[in-house]
Amino acid sequence: MEFMFLGTSSGVPTRHRNVSGLAIGIAGAKAWYLVDCGEGTQHRLLQTHRSLVKLAGIFITHVHGDHCFGLPGLLASAAMAGRSEPLPIIAPEPIRAFIEIAQKTTDTYIPYDIIFTPVEEPETAWRGTDMLVKTTALSHRVPSYAYTFTERYVPRNLNTQKLKERGVPAGPLWGRLQKGQDVTLDNGTEHCSDEYLLPQRSPRSIVIGGDNDTPELLSAECAGADVLVHEATYTEAVAAVVGSKHRHSSAAQVAGFAQRVGLRNLVLTHFSARYQIDAPGSASVNELEHEARAYYDGNLFLADDLAGYELDKGGNLQLKQPGLGSGRKR
Amino acid sequence: MEFMFLGTSSGVPTRHRNVSGLAIGIAGAKAWYLVDCGEGTQHRLLQTHRSLVKLAGIFITHVHGDHCFGLPGLLASAAMAGRSEPLPIIAPEPIRAFIEIAQKTTDTYIPYDIIFTPVEEPETAWRGTDMLVKTTALSHRVPSYAYTFTERYVPRNLNTQKLKERGVPAGPLWGRLQKGQDVTLDNGTEHCSDEYLLPQRSPRSIVIGGDNDTPELLSAECAGADVLVHEATYTEAVAAVVGSKHRHSSAAQVAGFAQRVGLRNLVLTHFSARYQIDAPGSASVNELEHEARAYYDGNLFLADDLAGYELDKGGNLQLKQPGLGSGRKR
């Protein structure tokens, strides 16, 4: 699985960070999913290989503008790019009216169907072609949600050593065995698929949180997940100054939570605009990293616009493509 | 007077051009005006010295998304930047509903007043502190308008040679004479302000057009104007292929019009996304320039994102700050 940040700033864009947006999908697949769509998300996408025609679903965590003001433009540009496939949108109910009014008042023609599912609806899970997406309610000034992306199909690998030992020749027969079919060799021996299929690994799972002041609400989700992407808007010291009315998490809070639930990979994002890249005298995300490391000894990353990550089949998360702030004073 | 392009692309953003937006004001003044506000306008502004707190008015030419989808985010960011002054918005009536619903559905708090004036209302002219703004109806798929910005105050210069000849000493007395006050020197001689004030020059005037397939609608406006900024979405050849249903102007059409009305300065903008900067094999805005020059022998510019222009008191328009495409293959 892979994901890329399209924006990592909280509330307002800065010169080097856009507001929230994240592209996620199965590595190598053309279909992909978008979590949040702040203003300028479509602009960031122009710097990636992601196509609006292949976008398989949009998930909005909550109604705040820095997470959804890019929707009208992105939907219009998808139309102009020739999209005809229906587009699922999973979002808080008010987003439906926002999209509809935006289209109506601006005379925007959308030639494809938008399949809107209110995130408030009690549902088991949303099923994409290659992903299962589960919703968890969080705690913020407005209703906010996390989306857990889990891969749907985990092929079982063949025990090739056993196949060789028992004289099953490599080729189409191996393919049939992997598909669960039993085969008979020319010499008359019968070979049962189950004997050669290795145990299925766990499907990989990535939790993408919306704005949230109570990471513990994700305890159950994170117990079975490989990665948590969560806001860490500021440090404890800043949180103490701005107060709790904004209902965000500090780096210490999220890191402490990740440590307690034994999470292997943690990516912090949604940084206050006070953390500027390449701005002399401004606060630095190094402060957030420093604070988080004091509470968490797992695999920690601080998100950056256009930074791409890959989660391998063994559950290891790696930075695959450095982001825009790479090499700059952060 | 000065203006800067925040976006010069038609319909969709490209890697180097954003959708429509233009900042205009009196050179050196902090107050400024915004014409159109496509998605990402606030992002472009972060690369300029313009402050959302000092924004003195927003003018929207028509309802299409590439001219207004940046409004909700820009208004929210102005609030977060601490704006408290009322903000005038002059726009087609449907924009009012778009802004209101965007704020309501996304729980956006705007602490300053928005003074909305529907552009459809018959009005003489809108008066800013330092600008008079007149509206002219254009021809497009939806109602579209041009805004003519004219400076309100043109100070009369002093005839300094005459002052020296008549022995009026430089200093505060000159200031009083320029303000229209008569003065008496220590030697008893009386000096009348009118004797020393030079004739007032004409106020400078810049016409900013919205999308429009009939430049002739601006004949009266352009007769008294120094600059026309107008869309030239494609060449005649491309226009012939895409047909007239989009109701845009070609470079030849606008250039021919400018020549006929004797316009001194013409800036073309709103280029189709087929004209890419730094994209091998794509069409080039040089084609638009080439076509326009065949019809117009005045002072011609092709707009570029973040290109800044200054119109001096003599009516000469100059590129003051090269844009993002400068030095690239355009």
Side-chain angles (χ1 to χ4, degrees):
Chain A
M1 293 171 81
E2 61 181 13
F3 58 91
M4 178 178 272
F5 288 93
L6 305 170
T8 58
S9 181
S10 161
V12 292
T14 67
R15 284 171 62 96
H16 294 100
R17 297 189 185 277
N18 196 23
V19 284
S20 292
L22 181 144
I24 183 168
I26 300 292
K30 285 203 170 163
W32 63 285
Y33 307 86
L34 177 64
V35 182
D36 281 336
C37 186
E39 181 182 354
T41 294
Q42 65 162 320
H43 298 67
R44 279 283 187 256
L45 283 168
L46 289 172
Q47 296 174 274
T48 74
H49 69 281
R50 302 287 187 187
S51 149
L52 292 178
V53 173
K54 298 292 177 191
L55 176 55
I58 301 178
F59 299 80
I60 304 293
T61 61
H62 63 297
V63 297
H64 283 157
D66 56 325
H67 295 254
C68 71
F69 278 162
L71 276 173
L74 183 133
L75 298 176
S77 290
M80 281 185 266
R83 184 183 182 101
S84 57
E85 288 292 301
L87 178 58
I89 299 182
I90 293 82
E93 180 64 45
I95 297 292
R96 192 203 303 255
F98 172 56
I99 295 170
E100 283 177 3
I101 292 287
Q103 284 169 16
K104 215 173 281 179
T105 51
T106 63
D107 200 37
T108 305
Y109 173 61
I110 302 290
Y112 54 86
D113 289 335
I114 290 174
I115 304 167
F116 189 92
T117 304
V119 66
E120 297 88 350
E121 266 182 17
E123 269 288 337
T124 47
W126 183 87
R127 283 167 188 278
T129 48
D130 55 4
M131 290 276 201
L132 211 64
V133 187
K134 235 191 100 188
T135 302
T136 308
L138 303 174
S139 162
H140 191 49
R141 301 201 299 283
V142 293
S144 182
Y145 298 87
Y147 294 104
T148 303
F149 286 77
T150 305
E151 58 184 339
R152 276 187 75 178
Y153 301 108
V154 181
R156 286 174 70 181
N157 285 335
L158 284 175
N159 186 338
T160 52
Q161 200 186 334
K162 197 174 184 181
L163 284 163
K164 284 172 191 164
E165 282 167 10
R166 301 211 180 157
V168 184
L173 290 178
W174 285 23
R176 285 169 56 192
L177 286 166
Q178 193 175 18
K179 281 181 190 148
Q181 297 165 16
D182 302 334
V183 300
T184 308
L185 299 193
D186 288 345
N187 64 12
T189 56
E190 290 183 0
H191 297 266
C192 179
S193 169
D194 274 351
E195 285 181 66
Y196 297 100
L197 285 172
L198 294 170
Q200 194 174 39
R201 66 170 169 81
S202 300
R204 287 166 293 176
S205 194
I206 299 174
V207 183
I208 317 283
D211 289 9
N212 178 34
D213 67 3
T214 312
E216 289 69 23
L217 291 168
L218 288 166
S219 298
E221 280 308 291
C222 286
D226 299 287
V227 182
L228 169 64
V229 176
H230 199 283
E231 65 132 310
T233 306
Y234 22 56
T235 58
E236 282 285 287
V238 173
V241 173
V242 301
S244 59
K245 70 176 190 292
H246 297 293
R247 307 199 49 187
H248 286 300
S249 288
S250 71
Q253 211 181 332
V254 183
F257 162 74
Q259 184 71 23
R260 283 193 296 283
V261 294
L263 199 83
R264 193 156 155 193
N265 303 289
L266 174 64
V267 190
L268 301 179
T269 184
H270 195 267
F271 309 126
S272 155
R274 59 172 56 71
Y275 303 103
Q276 295 267 351
I277 296 171
D278 260 356
S282 83
S284 157
V285 292
N286 292 335
E287 298 168 26
L288 296 167
E289 181 167 358
H290 185 74
E291 178 170 301
R293 288 209 188 278
Y295 292 84
Y296 177 65
D297 61 12
N299 198 16
L300 175 73
F301 297 92
L302 272 80
D304 188 12
D305 284 36
L306 295 184
Y309 294 84
E310 184 161 340
L311 177 67
D312 70 19
K313 287 168 185 162
N316 305 300
L317 184 69
Q318 281 189 311
L319 179 66
K320 203 176 141 197
Q321 189 181 313
L324 290 184
S326 164
R328 296 178 190 254
K329 184 205 153 289
R330 66 178 201 175
Chain B
M1 292 170 82
E2 60 181 13
F3 58 91
M4 178 178 273
F5 288 94
L6 305 170
T8 57
S9 182
S10 160
V12 293
T14 68
R15 284 170 61 97
H16 294 98
R17 296 189 186 277
N18 196 23
V19 284
S20 291
L22 181 144
I24 184 168
I26 300 292
K30 285 204 171 162
W32 63 285
Y33 307 86
L34 176 65
V35 183
D36 283 335
C37 186
E39 180 182 355
T41 294
Q42 65 162 321
H43 298 67
R44 278 284 188 255
L45 284 168
L46 289 173
Q47 298 173 273
T48 75
H49 69 281
R50 302 286 187 188
S51 148
L52 292 178
V53 173
K54 299 291 177 192
L55 176 56
I58 302 178
F59 299 80
I60 304 293
T61 60
H62 64 297
V63 296
H64 283 157
D66 56 324
H67 295 253
C68 72
F69 278 161
L71 277 173
L74 182 133
L75 298 176
S77 291
M80 281 184 267
R83 184 185 181 101
S84 57
E85 288 292 301
L87 177 58
I89 300 182
I90 293 83
E93 180 64 46
I95 296 292
R96 191 203 303 255
F98 171 57
I99 294 170
E100 284 178 2
I101 293 287
Q103 285 170 16
K104 214 173 282 178
T105 51
T106 63
D107 200 37
T108 305
Y109 174 61
I110 302 290
Y112 55 87
D113 288 335
I114 290 173
I115 303 166
F116 189 92
T117 305
V119 66
E120 297 88 350
E121 265 182 17
E123 270 288 338
T124 47
W126 183 88
R127 282 168 188 276
T129 48
D130 55 3
M131 290 276 201
L132 213 63
V133 188
K134 236 191 97 189
T135 301
T136 309
L138 303 174
S139 162
H140 190 48
R141 302 200 299 282
V142 293
S144 182
Y145 299 86
Y147 294 104
T148 303
F149 286 77
T150 306
E151 58 184 339
R152 278 188 74 178
Y153 301 109
V154 180
R156 287 174 69 180
N157 285 335
L158 285 175
N159 186 338
T160 51
Q161 201 185 332
K162 199 174 183 180
L163 284 162
K164 285 172 192 164
E165 282 167 11
R166 301 210 181 157
V168 183
L173 290 178
W174 285 25
R176 287 170 54 193
L177 287 165
Q178 192 175 20
K179 282 180 190 148
Q181 299 166 14
D182 301 334
V183 300
T184 308
L185 298 192
D186 288 345
N187 63 13
T189 56
E190 290 182 0
H191 298 265
C192 179
S193 168
D194 274 351
E195 285 180 67
Y196 298 100
L197 285 170
L198 294 169
Q200 194 173 39
R201 65 171 170 80
S202 301
R204 289 164 292 176
S205 194
I206 299 175
V207 183
I208 316 283
D211 289 9
N212 178 34
D213 66 2
T214 312
E216 289 69 23
L217 291 167
L218 289 166
S219 297
E221 280 308 293
C222 286
D226 299 287
V227 182
L228 169 64
V229 176
H230 199 283
E231 66 132 310
T233 306
Y234 22 56
T235 58
E236 282 285 286
V238 172
V241 173
V242 301
S244 59
K245 69 176 190 293
H246 298 292
R247 307 200 47 188
H248 285 301
S249 288
S250 70
Q253 211 182 333
V254 184
F257 162 75
Q259 184 70 23
R260 283 193 296 282
V261 294
L263 200 83
R264 192 158 155 191
N265 302 288
L266 173 64
V267 189
L268 302 179
T269 184
H270 195 266
F271 309 127
S272 156
R274 60 171 56 71
Y275 303 103
Q276 296 268 351
I277 296 171
D278 261 355
S282 84
S284 157
V285 293
N286 291 335
E287 298 168 27
L288 296 167
E289 181 167 359
H290 184 75
E291 179 170 299
R293 288 209 187 278
Y295 292 85
Y296 178 67
D297 60 12
N299 197 14
L300 175 73
F301 297 92
L302 272 79
D304 188 12
D305 283 36
L306 296 183
Y309 295 84
E310 184 160 341
L311 177 67
D312 70 19
K313 287 168 185 162
N316 305 299
L317 185 69
Q318 279 189 312
L319 178 67
K320 203 176 139 198
Q321 188 180 315
L324 291 183
S326 163
R328 297 178 190 254
K329 185 205 152 290
R330 65 176 202 175

